[in-house]
Amino acid sequence: LGPTPFRLGGLYRAAHDLADQVRPALARLVARTGETGGFYVREGDRRICLFREPSPRPIRLHIEEGTAMPLDRGASAHVLMAFTDGALPVHEAVRAAGLAISIGQRDPETAAVAAPVFGRGGRLLGALGVSGPVLRLNAAEAERIAPMVLEEARALSRLLGA
């Protein structure tokens, strides 16, 4: 097995420690917005839903923790790209705004708002956000809740040592 179990154990401990901080932030976002909360990390050319907090509403998005998704569309994907190696105009706009809003990009019936979470040394840890059906989370509602997402992402970043 070599060093593989040690490496996997370290990854598990790091994710578990991160969960202790991220899960309460997601719960606060869901309580404030009524939409599903999620925390995504970049893994190569895709994003992984690391943590999820479902909306209390009966109509909501359902994505399992551990689900891999593309990096070319969606608010959390744009955040992850913008704060790693993204050089497209959309990534520049996300860096300037400090967050991303997507309406119908990944799926025509869904929308999302996401902001970066940083750790020690300013290293990007992931994207914190909310998502929901465009029926509720339209452009105006996304703009209204964007400051809440940004506030929670910044507070979480401070907590994680940024």
Side-chain angles (χ1 to χ4, degrees):
L1 292 175
T4 299
F6 181 74
R7 182 181 63 81
L8 292 175
L11 291 172
Y12 173 80
R13 278 191 309 281
H16 183 70
D17 293 343
L18 187 60
D20 291 343
Q21 308 303 323
V22 173
R23 289 196 189 280
L26 288 173
R28 286 189 298 272
L29 268 180
V30 171
R32 291 177 75 185
T33 66
E35 300 300 347
T36 298
F39 184 80
Y40 289 83
V41 295
R42 183 171 179 179
E43 185 178 273
D45 63 349
R46 47 192 193 153
R47 60 186 159 131
I48 307 297
C49 179
L50 197 58
F51 307 113
R52 200 77 170 157
E53 179 71 26
S55 167
R57 295 175 168 179
I59 297 175
R60 60 182 175 225
L61 296 186
H62 182 77
I63 295 173
E64 296 288 336
E65 290 182 355
T67 299
M69 300 170 74
L71 268 176
D72 64 343
R73 56 194 171 275
S76 61
H78 293 316
V79 166
L80 293 172
M81 287 296 294
F83 292 94
T84 53
D85 58 5
L88 297 175
V90 66
H91 305 138
E92 292 172 21
V94 169
R95 284 189 292 272
L99 59 80
I101 295 174
S102 66
I103 309 290
Q105 286 183 2
R106 187 185 59 81
D107 178 285
E109 297 177 1
T110 64
V113 180
V117 173
F118 300 99
R120 295 189 198 306
R123 185 175 66 93
L124 178 72
L125 297 177
L128 180 79
V130 294
S131 54
V134 293
L135 149 79
R136 285 192 311 262
L137 192 52
N138 56 33
E141 181 65 4
E143 289 291 337
R144 186 187 76 76
I145 67 171
M148 297 177 212
V149 173
L150 191 54
E151 176 187 329
E152 199 63 55
R154 287 177 175 165
L156 183 56
S157 292
R158 285 190 299 275
L159 192 62
L160 295 169

